[in-house]
Amino acid sequence: MKYEFTTKMWQHNAPGGWYFVSLPMVISKEIREHLKWQEEGWGRMKAAAKIGVVRWDTAIWFDTKADTYILPLKAEIRKKTNLKVDHNFQMQVWV
């Protein structure tokens, strides 16, 4: 299933915290409702993502506190896509 949405990158508040995007609640609810059976440990689900022309294999995790899936953004991806915290951008996710 392919999902396209506008989002913002955020950083976890721990020192040296990882960077993430949160999938919209509506999309997360749909994924959880129909594909929860594909989750592995800690709510992890294999996925692919694309920002601009950069596409990569990754995973999303279900964050029970936020009640949504989150997707980590490694430094390599942030550099290739020139992402900045709290700036809107379009992305696609396949699960």
Side-chain angles (χ1 to χ4, degrees):
M1 296 177 80
K2 176 183 172 184
Y3 297 96
E4 187 168 348
F5 52 93
T6 301
T7 190
K8 293 180 181 183
M9 178 176 68
W10 54 274
Q11 185 177 17
H12 188 271
N13 60 5
W18 283 57
Y19 291 85
F20 297 92
V21 296
S22 298
L23 277 66
M25 292 283 210
V26 172
I27 292 173
S28 292
K29 182 179 178 182
E30 182 177 319
I31 293 170
R32 189 91 170 167
E33 203 172 281
H34 299 287
L35 301 172
K36 185 178 190 305
W37 61 272
Q38 290 185 16
E39 288 182 3
E40 299 172 352
W42 300 292
R44 178 185 183 271
M45 184 181 299
K46 293 178 184 175
K50 183 177 179 185
I51 300 171
V53 297
V54 179
R55 183 178 170 147
W56 70 102
D57 291 325
T58 187
I60 55 176
W61 277 263
F62 191 75
D63 181 346
T64 55
K65 291 179 185 173
D67 200 32
T68 192
Y69 283 97
I70 58 174
L71 185 149
L73 293 169
K74 294 181 180 181
E76 174 187 0
I77 301 301
R78 296 192 315 269
K79 288 176 188 171
K80 285 182 179 179
T81 56
N82 197 30
L83 294 180
K84 307 262 186 275
V85 171
D86 289 330
H87 287 131
N88 288 328
F89 59 92
Q90 284 286 121
M91 78 174 299
Q92 299 169 337
V93 173
W94 290 263
V95 292

